[in-house]
């Protein structure tokens, strides 16, 4: 807990103070459980998004590399044909 936590700052002197502190702890736990539930529901979407973001550049990179390789081969073959003559 942090120093600014109201539970740490509140002195417990009697039964009412204790009940108030317990109530605050329960409220804080409920809030954290709600936050965790929201994050849990978003997890599949976030995982899919991360997977797509990782896969798309890799796919495009491979795709662009294969296109460049094919084009490079065509250029090399044309240059060879030009300088060495057509292959028989």
């Amino acid at each position: 807990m942090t120093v600014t936590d109201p539970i740490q700052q509140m002195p417990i002197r009697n039964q009412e103070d204790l009940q108030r502190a317990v109530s605050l702890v329960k409220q804080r736990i409920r809030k954290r459980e709600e936050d965790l539930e929201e994050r849990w529901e978003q997890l599949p979407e976030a995982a899919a998004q991360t997977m797509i973001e990782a896969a798309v550049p890799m796919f495009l990179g491979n795709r662009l590399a294969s296109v460049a390789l094919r084009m490079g081969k065509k250029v090399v073959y044309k240059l060879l044909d030009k300088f060495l003559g057509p292959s028989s």
Side-chain angles (χ1 to χ4, degrees):
M1 285 189 241
T2 61
V3 177
T4 59
D5 190 354
I7 299 299
Q8 286 183 348
Q9 294 177 356
M10 181 184 357
I12 297 175
R13 296 186 184 121
N14 54 37
Q15 186 74 20
E16 288 178 19
D17 291 344
L18 180 60
Q19 289 174 344
R20 193 175 316 120
V22 168
S23 175
L24 289 173
V25 169
K26 286 181 179 180
Q27 287 175 5
R28 193 172 65 225
I29 289 172
R30 270 189 246 122
K31 173 67 174 140
R32 289 183 180 177
E33 285 175 343
E34 290 171 3
D35 290 344
L36 283 173
E37 187 174 337
E38 287 177 20
R39 290 180 186 183
W40 182 257
E41 290 172 359
Q42 295 172 355
L43 186 62
E45 181 182 335
Q49 182 178 358
T50 301
M51 186 174 67
I52 290 170
E53 288 174 355
V56 168
M58 183 175 64
F59 173 76
L60 289 177
N62 288 341
R63 184 79 176 141
L64 291 174
S66 73
V67 168
L69 185 60
R70 280 196 309 257
M71 290 177 62
K73 283 182 183 178
K74 287 181 183 179
V75 168
V76 168
Y77 290 146
K78 285 185 180 185
L79 288 173
L80 288 174
D81 280 345
K82 181 178 181 181
F83 290 110
L84 301 176
S87 57
S88 17

